[in-house]
């Protein structure tokens, strides 16, 4: 006797701990058979499992009147079950244009944003979606074909982020249709599903049937099981990675981290790829934009790069190999020039630090100052000073030295990572470099016996230099 | 400029540490383009890498005269390079019939056995085979379709068992053909490659070209990279498993192991499947015969089985859930009956223990005996005793007790695993059970004041009872 549909769904709920007594569940419903069946079975099980339901439908408005009819159908269906139904219309095309993404990606983004908003608004505990074993098989196959690592082959997760649940993930579309017939449920037909240009639909309607007919009649089960094993193993490696992340990825500032080369050697090879992805995220990049080749090249930089070597990755992330570390940072190197508030606080663009200035009487000026502070004779300086990023040809006469040096040479001497040099704020009177913030002042406007008022500058917040070798 | 063929092969050799200076390498050569190119490039690199080569060809004799012509071609080709060539002919069909395996599997088995024999005979260090990136892609795709876990998706390993190496694994068949043309190398055409009934060939000639044309022009690279990542992660999990194996899989005897239920709870879920496969191997089964479902059911027995529950797996492996452990053993429960050597040693069939007997004067008989020994008045017993496995209805009058009990009841009282009961040797005079070896003697032929000669029986070797709960 084949296992009943109800039993299969309930054992999925059970096995993955999807529901708890008292849960309020937002059920995503498109109007297609999968979601209609999902809402129906959860409604039947609601007393037994002690849950309450809210239907939620996002009108993607991609198929004109058809889309509106879907919305009407969903509203009526939810009402027939006596359930509340939250409806909203999205402008998918505008979103996709703004984000530069495909219609499929855009629709999904907007749908999940909507569902999560509904869940938060109604203080719900879970969001249920109607993904089936067929969706799972399609996803895994699509990822194998497109080229994916272990994470991708994990496919659709039964539970995502702790609250998005997929109770139908172990029943096939065929079983859904049978259930639909048994319970005489009508559903809408989603016309976008037949557009052959979408990879998923091509896999659904051509590739999977072909593989099933000619290679393995049980291929869907095989792909589901693969996803299952991959998910568990991949989660485990990620869990091990967490400990390694704290241990090996050191924050430098808001969008830079570094990894010590000595500790790199101790990281198991299997986890190095994952750690690199993690570091990219730590620096503010998206690990999903990294290909296999990106990660391979990053590994090569760690294993056999030379000091000063730089690797550029997507999302403006760059890696720089240093003597004893590798710096991973977001290279947001927009040049800037702003006026300095005197006295007052000036935030440094694209960073989380700022420069504070004050003017004090020479008699109140402390003899000892912290290294982050520099002092000038204010009467010798113009009233307006500027803070800017470095420019080619910048030269400075460092305090206490004869002659000038190029800023480039000074940066080399101070061993500042190349990737960080655009971020070091420079204070200038328009002609001379008065101060390379956090590093060295120039020899302009020194305190002397004539000095009456002192201008004190201090860099506050995280260290700007990004001296990762300390 | 595309990377040169030589460079690609050399970086594969380098990256996986395939060759060391001084290595003697057996090169497998079928006569097809891949192996011809393999032998050619290794021959060109031999001085630079400090290696010596031996060609080795197994004539599978599956295509009559064609096969013989292959052999002649190979011999002449090796001779033209001035290399020794070891040739042998195999009877693949007979082997496959005997083993009940497919021609493809049989041919592979025989080929590797041959290659390893050649390597041992000539004291070689490595065996090189001509697998290409195309073979890799085909293998991975085949395993995805057939249904495989992470291990299977690791595909063809660049280095297997430390000495089988695949220097061409990162070049495509197309690149091999180009190299062949450049160096004007002739090669034989393997007709079995065009037989469409073989899954691999179907994938090679139909599925991969289809996927390449319609889904992803770079699919071969994608599948190779997948194998690469999977191999590294899978190896890492196996490495972690090694420590767990020692810690959690306890040998009971030659073909039985057990896992403690308390320690099971501490094993990461991701490693439990692998540990079960390991335990099956520890009990003498082949983990390759286990499907996903077998492993799932085994996990269920661990997680929620009831005491006494038994699960049968392939290779005559069975699992029995006990109170505090799960026993995994090979149920080679052939009934047997053999004559006991008195005095002397009698090996117990299908086991690694035996029963030793001796006859001593009552005056020499020690008062204290180890628990594995029992003593009888030899003059009261028939001269011929038997050792056999239990039979339905066996009863015994345990020493010191009134009345008989069924052996079944006694086994229950002694808490002997059901899977082990057929292995407990029983000594009988043909009518009574004299001794359940390792457990209890019956009340026949006790020592008395009339006793002159004592028959001492002892079970030697590993404990027969398989008392896993100790």
């Amino acid at each position: 006797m084949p296992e009943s549909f109800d039993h299969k769904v309930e054992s999925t709920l059970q096995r993955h701990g999807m529901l708890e007594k008292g849960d309020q569940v937002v059920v995503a419903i498109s109007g297609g058979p999968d979601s209609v069946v999902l809402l129906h079975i959860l409604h039947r099980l609601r007393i037994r499992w002690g849950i309450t339901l809210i239907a939620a439908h996002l009108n993607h408005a991609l198929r004109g009147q058809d889309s509106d009819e879907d919305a009407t159908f969903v509203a009526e269906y939810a009402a027939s079950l006596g359930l509340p139904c939250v409806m909203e219309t999205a402008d998918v095309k505008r979103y996709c244009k703004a984000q530069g993404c495909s219609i499929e990606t855009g629709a999904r983004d907007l749908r999940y944003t909507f569902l999560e908003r509904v869940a938060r608004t109604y203080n719900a505990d879970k969001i249920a979606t109607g993904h089936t074993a067929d969706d799972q098989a399609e996803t895994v196959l699509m990822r194998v074909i497109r080229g994916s690592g272990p994470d991708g082959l994990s496919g659709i997760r039964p539970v995502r982020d702790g609250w998005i649940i997929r109770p139908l993930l172990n029943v096939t579309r065929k079983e859904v249709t049978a259930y639909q017939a048994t319970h005489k449920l009508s559903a809408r037909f989603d016309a976008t599903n037949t557009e052959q240009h979408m990879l998923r639909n091509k896999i659904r309607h051509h590739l999977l049937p072909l593989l099933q007919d000619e290679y393995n009649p049980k291929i869907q089960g095989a792909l589901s099981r693969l996803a299952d094993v991959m998910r568990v193993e991949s989660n485990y490696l990620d869990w091990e990675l967490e400990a390694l992340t704290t241990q090996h990825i050191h924050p430098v500032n808001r969008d830079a981290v570094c990894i010590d080369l000595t500790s790199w050697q101790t990281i198991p090879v299997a986890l190095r790829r994952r750690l690199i992805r993690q570091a990219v995220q730590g620096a503010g990049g998206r690990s999903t934009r990294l290909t296999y080749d990106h990660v391979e090249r990053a590994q090569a930089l760690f294993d056999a790069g030379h000091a000063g070597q730089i690797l550029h990755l997507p999302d403006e992330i760059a890696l720089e190999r240093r003597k004893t570390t590798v710096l991973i940072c977001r290279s947001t190197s927009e040049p800037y020039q702003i006026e300095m508030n005197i006295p007052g606080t000036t935030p440094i663009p694209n960073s989380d630090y700022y420069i504070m200035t004050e003017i004090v009487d020479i008699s109140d000026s402390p003899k000892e100052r912290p290294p982050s502070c520099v002092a000038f004779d204010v009467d010798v300086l113009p009233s307006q000073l500027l803070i800017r990023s470095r420019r080619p040809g910048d030269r400075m006469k460092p305090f206490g030295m004869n002659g000038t040096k190029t800023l480039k040479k000074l940066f080399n001497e101070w061993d500042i990572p190349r990737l960080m040099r655009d971020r070091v704020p420079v204070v200038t009177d328009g002609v001379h470099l008065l101060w390379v913030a956090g590093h060295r002042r120039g020899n302009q406007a020194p305190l002397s016996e004539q000095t009456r008022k002192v201008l004190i500058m201090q860099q506050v917040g995280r260290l700007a230099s990004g001296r990762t070798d300390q």
Side-chain angles (χ1 to χ4, degrees), chain A:
Chain A
M1 196 180 71
E3 218 179 346
S4 83
F5 191 85
D6 284 30
H7 184 78
K8 273 194 173 178
V9 172
E10 289 201 76
S11 74
T12 303
L13 292 171
Q14 192 92 57
R15 186 171 161 213
H16 300 286
M18 288 180 176
L19 291 178
E20 276 170 68
K21 248 197 171 54
D23 272 355
Q24 167 122 333
V25 185
V26 172
V27 184
I29 176 160
S30 66
D34 301 346
S35 63
V36 163
V37 164
L38 175 68
L39 190 60
H40 189 266
I41 191 162
L42 286 181
H43 181 254
R44 282 180 48 234
L45 297 174
R46 74 193 184 286
I47 315 248
R48 196 166 134 72
W49 283 74
I51 55 172
T52 50
L53 305 175
I54 303 173
H57 175 79
L58 184 68
N59 184 346
H60 295 101
L62 290 168
R63 291 171 294 110
Q65 203 191 326
D66 248 20
S67 293
D68 296 338
E69 284 172 18
D70 285 357
T72 313
F73 168 82
V74 164
E76 284 170 1
Y77 177 57
S80 78
L81 297 174
L83 294 176
C85 184
V86 186
M87 317 274 286
E88 212 172 282
T89 301
D91 192 340
V92 179
K93 279 173 192 162
R94 203 178 66 178
Y95 175 87
C96 294
K97 208 167 175 182
Q99 296 289 315
C101 63
S102 71
I103 292 287
E104 199 182 10
T105 304
R108 193 188 54 229
D109 283 2
L110 288 171
R111 195 160 58 244
Y112 279 104
T113 310
F114 162 71
L115 292 169
E116 295 187 5
R117 195 171 57 242
V118 173
R120 290 210 172 83
T121 309
Y122 292 86
N123 205 14
D125 308 282
K126 302 284 159 64
I127 296 166
T129 71
H131 294 95
T132 63
D134 289 68
D135 294 313
Q136 180 69 293
E138 288 155 20
T139 301
V140 174
L141 193 57
M142 186 159 68
R143 296 203 178 147
V144 167
I145 290 171
R146 274 187 169 168
S148 168
D151 277 332
L153 299 199
S154 301
I156 301 166
R157 291 169 191 247
V159 177
R160 209 190 77 190
D161 303 333
W163 71 332
I164 300 176
I165 62 172
R166 281 80 191 235
L168 303 188
L169 205 53
N170 290 313
V171 293
T172 62
R173 203 166 285 139
K174 211 168 144 184
E175 291 172 304
V176 166
T177 312
Y179 180 98
Q180 199 194 342
T182 308
H183 292 274
K184 300 193 174 61
L185 301 174
S186 53
R188 296 279 297 169
F189 173 72
D190 185 351
T192 53
N193 278 346
T194 59
E195 288 174 22
Q196 296 294 335
H197 68 274
M198 282 159 76
L199 179 59
R200 178 180 287 278
N201 285 309
K202 209 166 142 189
I203 286 176
R204 177 177 304 172
H205 297 297
H206 293 303
L207 187 56
L208 263 174
L210 170 91
L211 292 174
Q212 205 161 6
D213 289 350
E214 296 193 23
Y215 292 87
N216 178 3
K218 295 185 175 169
I219 184 152
Q220 283 173 323
L223 293 170
S224 277
R225 289 193 297 274
L226 175 62
D228 206 36
V229 177
M230 296 305 299
R231 176 174 45 79
V232 176
E233 294 201 345
S234 200
N235 282 351
Y236 173 70
L237 291 174
D238 279 340
W239 173 82
E240 288 208 321
L241 191 69
E242 255 181 58
L244 289 183
T245 300
T246 333
Q247 204 182 333
H248 296 288
I249 303 183
H250 309 291
V252 174
N253 60 36
R254 198 176 55 166
D255 46 14
V257 297
C258 72
I259 296 175
D260 196 72
L261 282 169
T262 324
S263 73
W264 172 258
Q265 300 300 325
T266 67
I267 302 165
V269 179
L271 296 175
R272 289 184 184 175
R273 290 175 208 270
R274 288 176 187 255
L275 199 80
I276 286 172
R277 292 179 172 271
Q278 200 73 19
V280 164
Q281 278 191 320
R286 284 167 295 176
S287 70
T288 47
R289 292 209 49 201
L290 297 178
T291 65
Y292 174 90
D293 278 337
H294 292 135
V295 179
E296 281 295 279
R297 270 183 276 151
Q299 286 205 83
L301 186 82
F302 273 91
D303 292 340
H306 55 81
Q309 193 179 335
I310 286 181
L311 171 69
H312 290 280
L313 297 179
D315 273 349
E316 293 175 320
I317 293 289
L319 273 68
E320 178 176 346
R321 186 165 158 135
R322 316 266 301 141
K323 278 186 214 111
T324 62
T325 65
V326 169
L327 177 74
I328 300 105
C329 73
R330 194 125 187 222
S331 52
T332 45
S333 61
E334 290 287 297
Y336 65 88
Q337 170 166 311
I338 51 175
E339 289 187 2
M340 192 179 211
N341 298 320
I342 308 174
T345 301
T346 316
I348 306 300
N350 305 321
S351 80
D352 51 1
Y353 46 88
Y354 40 94
I355 289 178
M356 268 172 39
T357 57
E358 53 180 332
I359 296 178
V360 295
D361 267 1
I362 183 76
S363 54
D364 295 334
S365 171
K367 289 284 163 286
E368 298 283 324
R369 268 183 299 269
S372 60
C373 282
V374 282
F376 297 86
D377 184 336
V378 76
D379 297 321
V380 192
L381 289 174
S383 60
Q384 186 56 69
L385 299 181
L386 301 168
I387 305 176
R388 62 164 170 82
S389 49
R390 63 164 175 165
R391 286 183 193 158
D394 270 347
R395 301 184 74 88
M396 182 167 86
K397 194 177 277 188
F399 192 73
M401 279 181 59
N402 288 325
T404 62
K405 277 195 175 181
T406 61
L407 190 53
K408 191 173 174 182
K409 198 156 190 176
L410 288 168
F411 277 165
N412 284 341
E413 283 172 13
W414 302 335
D415 197 27
I416 298 176
R418 287 165 58 199
L419 291 175
M420 291 300 207
R421 294 182 178 188
D422 285 327
R423 301 161 176 238
V424 179
V426 163
V427 177
T428 169
D429 57 10
V431 182
H432 311 94
L433 295 196
L434 302 180
W435 185 38
V436 181
H439 293 281
R440 187 88 179 247
R441 63 160 286 174
N443 70 350
Q444 257 65 32
L447 304 193
S448 70
E449 293 190 352
Q450 282 74 46
T451 305
R452 291 174 305 116
K453 296 227 172 259
V454 180
L455 171 62
I456 299 176
M457 301 180 193
Q458 181 172 16
Q459 178 170 296
V460 187
R462 294 217 212 152
L463 195 65
S465 72
R467 287 201 184 185
T468 59
D469 285 353
Q470 285 174 346

